[in-house]
Amino acid sequence: MRLVLYTGKGGVGKTTTAAASALRSAAQGKRTLLISADSSHSLSDVLDLKIGPKPIAIADNLQAVEVDARVEMARHWGKISDFLVALFRHQGIEGVVAEELALLPGAEELTTLLALDEFARSGEFDFAVVDCAPTDTTLRLLTLPDVAHSSLRLLLKIQRALAGVMTPLARSLVSVPLPSADVFGEAEELLYAKLRALRARIIDSQTSVRLVVTTERMVIEEARRAFTDLCLFGLHCDAVVVNRLLPEAATRELFFREWGEVQQERLAEIAELFAPLRVLPANLAQEEIIGPQSLLAHGHELFADCLPDDVLSNAPGIGFHSEHGRYSVSIPLPGATLDGVDITKVDDELLVRTRSVCRALKLPRRMATLAVSEAHLREGVLSVFFRSDPVQGDADEGFVGSHRAGAEV
């Protein structure tokens, strides 16, 4: 199933763009699903129809759904949540407070993706369009499967090994609630089956993220940071939608002439900053775009020379290289600057930090034994090189080196 996710700063028109894309796709005969991943759902408002937690028909070939994160959480990790509630109540925390504390960080966002993955595996849809939350929440949503799988895998193994030996004895000695086999079973299913499948879908070539912006400077800068971070996590971006452009006729008027000039400068800047992504311009409508008919018309304008389910551009992904015995890894970081990237190697992971996120990149076994020698950031691609000799000395403590891109170690 082709999957496209729309995100951007709050108020730039993500929901309108997502709904217009879905209606345009359905009009082309594609079995399409429009899904809201924003906790403050607004699909019902833009479609002028009541949308709920179960898919309902909007038009021919189109269904829409607003995922109820609480219901999905109960399905996917109800036993884990029940154990945490019992644990908090034992410590004297009562009622709703214990239930709120039992909500794992990022749980609501993750359940939205789990629901989406189930729709994809059902085989009922050719194309899914996701209306995401504002940029920072979306980044957490999309990177969570990668982060959760990496960090929880070892913790779960250690915890279960200890529990297998200590829990039977501890139950007879202490009154505190202890996790049962059902709790570990649910955690393992979530970690090894659901999260693994979810990670594969998110980084699949049939999944694309599209950034929605306006020509405001603050909006563009936030989208640039999001683009860098999404590339860092290996997610594919294929387009930038530029909303609320003044029509050419309006820019001829004296009052809007200067705005029109600034707008053209910003459009050229967006094309350069987000290259090689496709830029999709959308004019400011005369009336508010609400209802299926208005959204379909907007979709025809937005995708005048392409289709919503097309892969609109292909940017390179993370790559591992070996040449003449010298190993390196290349990581696309469009928009990043030398003073905004830090690199650290700890054990068999390469930690790459930008201003807003940190990615732990698992290295191949051969590269995991080598120390970082130098790094360069050129034309939006970070290249990290490794010494040919195995790590010695500091490797016993896990720390190998930390430096900024552009420097030699």
Side-chain angles (χ1 to χ4, degrees), residues 69-375:
R70 298 299 179 111
V71 173
E72 294 299 320
M73 284 181 62
R75 288 180 53 222
H76 292 291
W77 48 52
K79 293 183 177 65
I80 299 173
S81 180
D82 290 344
F83 163 69
L84 292 176
V85 169
L87 183 62
F88 289 136
R89 285 180 174 170
H90 177 81
Q91 296 174 345
I93 303 173
E94 293 295 337
V96 178
V97 177
E99 295 175 359
E100 288 296 315
L101 289 175
L103 295 176
L104 302 176
E108 293 189 6
E109 293 90 346
L110 187 57
T111 51
T112 301
L113 284 180
L114 290 173
L116 175 61
D117 189 58
E118 288 185 352
F119 286 126
R121 286 187 284 107
S122 71
E124 298 178 9
F125 303 99
D126 305 311
F127 181 45
V129 179
V130 183
D131 172 32
C132 292
T135 311
D136 55 345
T137 303
T138 299
L139 183 62
R140 186 171 69 247
L141 169 74
L142 296 179
T143 58
L144 191 60
D146 188 56
V147 175
H149 188 274
S150 299
S151 59
L152 291 179
R153 181 176 53 194
L154 180 60
L155 179 62
L156 183 62
K157 287 182 179 179
I158 295 173
Q159 181 71 11
R160 184 154 196 175
L162 291 174
V165 176
M166 300 180 64
T167 297
L169 176 62
R171 287 189 189 280
S172 62
L173 299 176
V174 299
S175 59
V176 63
L178 297 172
S180 65
D182 289 341
V183 173
F184 284 110
E186 187 172 77
E188 284 189 337
E189 181 185 4
L190 174 67
L191 181 60
Y192 291 105
K194 296 177 181 178
L195 278 182
R196 182 176 295 172
L198 197 52
R199 290 174 67 211
R201 185 170 303 282
I202 290 299
I203 63 174
D204 188 84
S205 60
Q206 289 299 304
T207 298
S208 300
V209 181
R210 291 176 185 167
L211 300 164
V212 183
V213 302
T214 61
T215 54
E216 297 173 72
R217 174 65 60 195
M218 186 168 56
V219 173
I220 295 172
E221 288 304 314
E222 181 167 322
R224 286 187 68 194
R225 290 192 293 270
F227 184 33
T228 297
D229 295 336
L230 289 168
C231 286
L232 181 62
F233 277 86
L235 284 87
H236 305 283
C237 295
D238 74 342
V240 181
V241 178
V242 187
N243 272 335
R244 298 172 188 160
L245 295 173
L246 289 174
E248 185 178 350
T251 60
R252 298 194 193 105
E253 300 293 331
L254 181 61
F255 182 76
F256 295 108
R257 189 174 300 162
E258 188 173 340
W259 284 13
E261 293 174 356
V262 172
Q263 178 177 275
Q264 291 305 312
E265 292 175 1
R266 297 280 170 82
L267 269 175
E269 184 180 345
I270 288 169
E272 181 179 350
L273 291 174
F274 293 93
L277 303 191
R278 178 79 170 269
V279 177
L280 300 174
N283 285 335
L284 181 67
Q286 292 184 349
E287 298 179 355
E288 193 173 4
I289 303 174
I290 292 180
Q293 289 186 341
S294 296
L295 288 164
L296 180 57
H298 183 63
H300 278 286
E301 177 190 354
L302 186 61
F303 297 97
D305 57 353
C306 60
L307 295 177
D309 61 327
D310 288 343
V311 178
L312 300 179
S313 63
N314 288 296
I318 294 173
F320 298 98
H321 315 282
S322 174
E323 186 174 357
H324 304 300
R326 193 185 192 198
Y327 294 89
S328 66
V329 56
S330 59
I331 307 170
L333 290 180
T337 58
L338 288 176
D339 60 351
V341 179
D342 284 293
I343 304 160
T344 307
K345 184 173 179 292
V346 179
D347 293 330
D348 60 350
E349 291 187 330
L350 186 69
L351 305 182
V352 181
R353 293 181 177 88
T354 65
R355 297 184 188 279
S356 53
V357 298
C358 176
R359 167 73 186 270
L361 180 64
K362 198 79 168 178
L363 295 171
R365 283 179 295 179
R366 179 69 180 106
M367 295 172 66
T369 64
L370 306 178
V372 174
S373 61
E374 58 184 291

